[in-house]
Amino acid sequence: MTARPPSPRAVAGWILRRPDTLTETEQLQLKAVRTHCSELDALTGHVRSFATMLTERQGERLPDWLDAIRQDDLPSLHTLAAGIDRDRDAVIAGLTLPWSSGVVDGHVNRIKMLKRQMFGRAGFQLLRKRVLLAG
């Protein structure tokens, strides 16, 4: 009896996690998957390279990363590369600069949640009061 192949979800989890957080068994299974599938091997390299760019703020590497993606036969990543190209300067800035819009996004989400809670029950004045008093 042969062992069951890992599920796609498990393989995706192994690819997306930091390599040093994988157990020895997971590392061996991922290595076996990468050996048997050249597309997953290339994908793993691209994902890990992008993760390094993201965590170490190396946005200047983005053009080379996009060129490497285009050289591989991975249509889904080609679509991602085309999307990144449409707003390349903003993506490079996001991968390079220390500023974040996370705080603003958090406030926007909080206001949307308050608005959803009141849906159809009150007008702008009550929403304004709730937003100002909830802070």
Side-chain angles (χ1 to χ4, degrees):
M1 181 160 114
T2 61
R4 289 182 55 198
S7 71
R9 181 180 293 232
V11 174
W14 300 335
I15 291 171
L16 292 172
R17 284 177 28 214
R18 291 180 185 262
D20 56 338
T21 65
L22 297 174
T23 65
E24 189 174 333
T25 304
E26 291 170 335
Q27 288 177 6
L28 291 173
Q29 288 176 313
L30 179 58
K31 184 178 180 181
V33 167
R34 290 178 71 179
T35 302
H36 287 92
C37 181
S38 61
E39 290 88 358
L40 281 176
D41 187 43
L43 175 71
T44 302
H46 294 310
V47 167
R48 290 184 174 169
S49 178
F50 189 82
T52 301
M53 267 193 298
L54 183 65
T55 57
E56 297 179 10
R57 298 207 178 278
Q58 298 175 345
E60 66 279 355
R61 289 182 41 210
L62 184 67
D64 293 336
W65 184 80
L66 291 170
D67 290 340
I69 281 181
R70 288 189 186 95
Q71 292 174 5
D72 286 333
D73 187 25
L74 299 168
S76 296
L77 286 184
H78 293 182
T79 304
L80 172 68
I84 289 173
D85 268 337
R86 280 189 293 254
D87 208 6
R88 182 185 283 225
D89 292 338
V91 176
I92 289 174
L95 291 172
T96 307
L97 301 174
W99 300 291
S100 168
S101 63
V103 174
V104 173
D105 287 340
H107 288 299
V108 169
N109 284 335
R110 182 176 58 86
I111 291 170
K112 286 180 180 180
M113 185 259 318
L114 289 170
K115 184 179 173 187
R116 264 185 253 116
Q117 286 177 342
M118 296 174 30
F119 181 74
R121 288 188 247 150
F124 178 74
Q125 290 301 320
L126 181 58
L127 175 62
R128 183 176 184 274
K129 283 185 180 184
R130 286 197 66 194
V131 168
L132 294 174
L133 294 175

